[in-house]
Amino acid sequence: MKLLIKSFMLSILLLGLSACNLSQEQVLEHAKESFNEKMNQEPKTITYETKNMSLYIPSFTEVDVIDEYNLILERNDHVFLLFLNDHTDFESKDDLLELMMLEQDPFIFEIDEVDGEKAYLIVTHFSENEYKVIVGYNGRKITTITTLQDMNNVAETMFDIVQSAMENNE
């Protein structure tokens, strides 16, 4: 009886662990759906302001101001680099990839324009278990390194931040 209970518990544990492991295909599908939803959402409410900028910063995020247009954000073991004055002009996927100087094809590449608002999501392999995530929105760009398991939550947060960002003189 003890052996049966131990086997059952081990089976439940292994099933739970395998459910936590996301496949690249699952992450890719979720990223596409989420990107489309984010493009049609209203920007988050401003929670952080400096002399030159206003933006939404999630709670429990540390902010380090580098200069008037660049911030380093730290949240949940992630470091984000935010560039508010990155007026990248692109017309196509190839233009954007060339501007980003990517040496490899992205794992995820989404680009869209809604009501004149341009945005993109680019994910490339960074190391064995890590990915570089870049989210751009109307000349603002945020970048981080993350794992496959954290990618979708991190990318959604990044989109919320960059979509809300604006220069105070706009």
Side-chain angles (χ1 to χ4, degrees), residues 50-156:
T50 68
K51 178 180 167 190
N52 298 312
M53 69 181 98
S54 301
L55 66 152
Y56 162 77
I57 300 285
S59 58
F60 306 108
T61 302
E62 292 181 34
V63 179
D64 186 14
V65 178
I66 302 302
D67 61 31
E68 58 190 306
Y69 297 106
N70 300 290
L71 301 175
I72 295 176
L73 309 173
E74 293 185 52
R75 183 170 194 257
N76 297 337
D77 298 325
H78 285 90
V79 175
F80 304 93
L81 303 175
L82 178 62
F83 305 96
L84 295 180
N85 201 10
D86 181 49
H87 295 287
T88 304
D89 190 27
F90 59 91
E91 296 300 321
S92 68
K93 175 181 178 178
D94 291 334
D95 287 349
L96 185 56
L97 291 176
E98 187 175 320
L99 286 167
M100 294 291 154
M101 296 184 278
L102 298 175
E103 297 177 7
Q104 58 184 332
D105 285 335
F107 163 60
I108 297 174
F109 186 92
E110 293 293 319
I111 186 172
D112 200 2
E113 184 173 349
V114 174
D115 297 329
E117 309 289 319
K118 285 185 174 181
Y120 57 87
L121 168 64
I122 302 172
V123 178
T124 59
H125 290 277
F126 183 74
S127 68
E128 185 176 331
N129 296 316
E130 295 180 313
Y131 296 82
K132 180 178 182 181
V133 180
I134 306 167
V135 177
Y137 190 86
N138 280 350
R140 285 85 164 116
K141 179 174 69 173
I142 189 167
T143 305
T144 197
I145 306 297
T146 192
T147 63
L148 192 65
Q149 280 67 34
D150 290 339
M151 187 180 305
N152 286 320
N153 288 335
V154 167
E156 288 177 5

